[in-house]
Amino acid sequence: MAGWDVHTHLIPPTVLAAAYERAWGLSVEDGVLLVDDQRLPLRRLADPSALLQWIDEQQLDGAVVSVPPALFRYDQGPEWAELVNQGLRELATPRLRVLGQLPLLDPAAPAVAAKLAAEGVFSGFALGTAGFAKLDPVWEVLDRLEAFTLIHPSHSHDPRLDAFYLSNLLGNPYETGLAAAELVFADVPGRFPGIRFCLCHGGGVTAALAGRWQRGIDTARPGIDAPSLSVAEALQRFYVDDLVHDSAVLGLLGETFGVEQVLAGSDWPFPMGSDQVDLDRAAARSAVSEQLTRPLAKEVVAG
């Protein structure tokens, strides 16, 4: 058995150092990283050796690492992105492939993406769900790079989700579905086919709503300009991880995105992740995952 876990998380050491210095609005109290209004228990999140142990236990070739979504912090600009990326550089090894941080909503984001790609360290980028409808300058660079681009839900701020852990149980799948909808209706897969988007948590609510989205296009609902691809065609250009905790939903993912587009992903080390990678899927997708997540080593010019 072999393969790759495309969805794991670590806190970069540079972020930890800043937190211990109480810089960037961060702090550490009782083994918990405090970042804005969120709390991240350190333990395995701050321990690359624990992730390497997981890889060994799961009989994998390696894991693709992104920062926990609380660290996207797109309001902090390019300086924050560089602090995160320096820590990711320190984490990168042949068995730990890292996804770069972009200051996604800043005008510098396309240039940062181009610069990171040329280093030959980063295997793509991880993006939080921060509003994707007007990011063409970023998509142009990622398209030319043919970049693996993991879409991970950011925190949902709907106060109705405060009870019952719904901010995660319902908010996270909704946020991923919102991001997918923005990409589909803005025709990003049709206009920028080189980007290798991968949606976390099986794409959230996306597969369940694909037919409804197509109905909205077919009936010319307000605000919709029909994209060049049907919803089904667009979604078959996405990859998704298999982290849905439901075998029936796995079948729906295969029908919606294509069986070959469903990759093994655990969300290690979070409690809502998987205790066991699907080793058969990891092995079957090994060559695809390895190719998708090879470190970028390509120079492009941001427009």
Side-chain angles (χ1 to χ4, degrees), residues 16-283:
L16 288 173
Y20 282 114
E21 295 174 358
R22 293 186 172 271
W24 287 96
L26 306 172
S27 61
V28 175
E29 295 181 10
D30 299 324
V32 173
L33 174 64
L34 305 180
V35 47
D36 302 323
D37 59 348
Q38 299 183 64
R39 299 167 58 87
L40 292 174
L42 295 179
R43 298 193 296 273
R44 292 187 295 172
L45 268 176
D47 185 0
S49 67
L51 178 51
L52 290 169
Q53 181 178 346
W54 162 265
I55 291 168
D56 288 337
E57 291 171 351
Q58 301 298 308
Q59 305 174 56
L60 296 170
D61 294 316
V64 181
V65 177
S66 57
V67 299
L71 299 183
F72 288 140
R73 305 185 87 196
Y74 292 133
D75 59 338
Q76 299 295 311
E79 294 80 9
W80 170 256
E82 179 51 31
L83 176 77
V84 172
N85 285 325
Q86 180 53 41
L88 289 167
R89 292 182 187 99
E90 295 172 18
L91 291 172
T93 71
R95 301 181 75 201
L96 298 181
R97 293 181 171 179
V98 297
L99 300 178
Q101 169 91 355
L102 298 180
L104 189 61
L105 305 182
D106 190 278
V112 171
K115 175 180 178 295
L116 295 180
E119 294 181 15
V121 173
F122 296 92
S123 290
F125 306 95
L127 308 183
T129 49
F132 289 167
K134 298 181 179 180
L135 291 178
D136 278 10
V138 176
W139 305 141
E140 288 170 2
V141 173
L142 301 191
D143 180 57
R144 293 199 296 272
L145 291 169
E146 298 184 340
F148 182 75
T149 303
L150 187 77
I151 306 297
H152 195 291
S154 303
H155 180 68
S156 176
H157 295 285
D158 185 339
R160 296 174 298 175
L161 302 180
D162 289 346
F164 310 117
Y165 199 58
L166 291 180
S167 61
N168 184 295
L169 300 182
L170 181 59
N172 276 16
Y174 162 78
E175 288 288 330
T176 305
L178 175 60
E182 290 178 320
L183 293 170
V184 168
F185 285 106
D187 199 25
V188 174
R191 294 184 296 122
F192 304 103
I195 305 175
R196 311 310 190 205
F197 286 112
C198 182
L199 304 173
C200 288
H201 311 128
V205 301
T206 301
L209 296 177
R212 186 173 181 85
W213 294 353
Q214 186 61 52
R215 179 65 176 176
I217 293 171
D218 293 343
T219 57
R221 294 300 83 205
I224 296 177
D225 294 322
S228 65
L229 302 176
S230 70
V231 174
E233 290 170 332
L235 293 182
Q236 287 170 6
R237 297 192 178 187
F238 288 84
Y239 294 89
V240 295
D241 72 19
D242 61 356
L243 187 63
V244 292
H245 308 293
D246 188 326
S247 59
V249 175
L250 281 174
L252 179 60
L253 296 187
E255 293 176 10
T256 302
F257 299 98
V259 173
E260 296 300 318
Q261 304 291 101
V262 183
L263 310 177
S266 70
D267 204 4
W268 184 97
F270 284 105
M272 286 301 298
S274 173
D275 297 325
Q276 172 72 54
V277 170
D278 186 320
L279 296 181
D280 289 336
R281 181 172 294 105

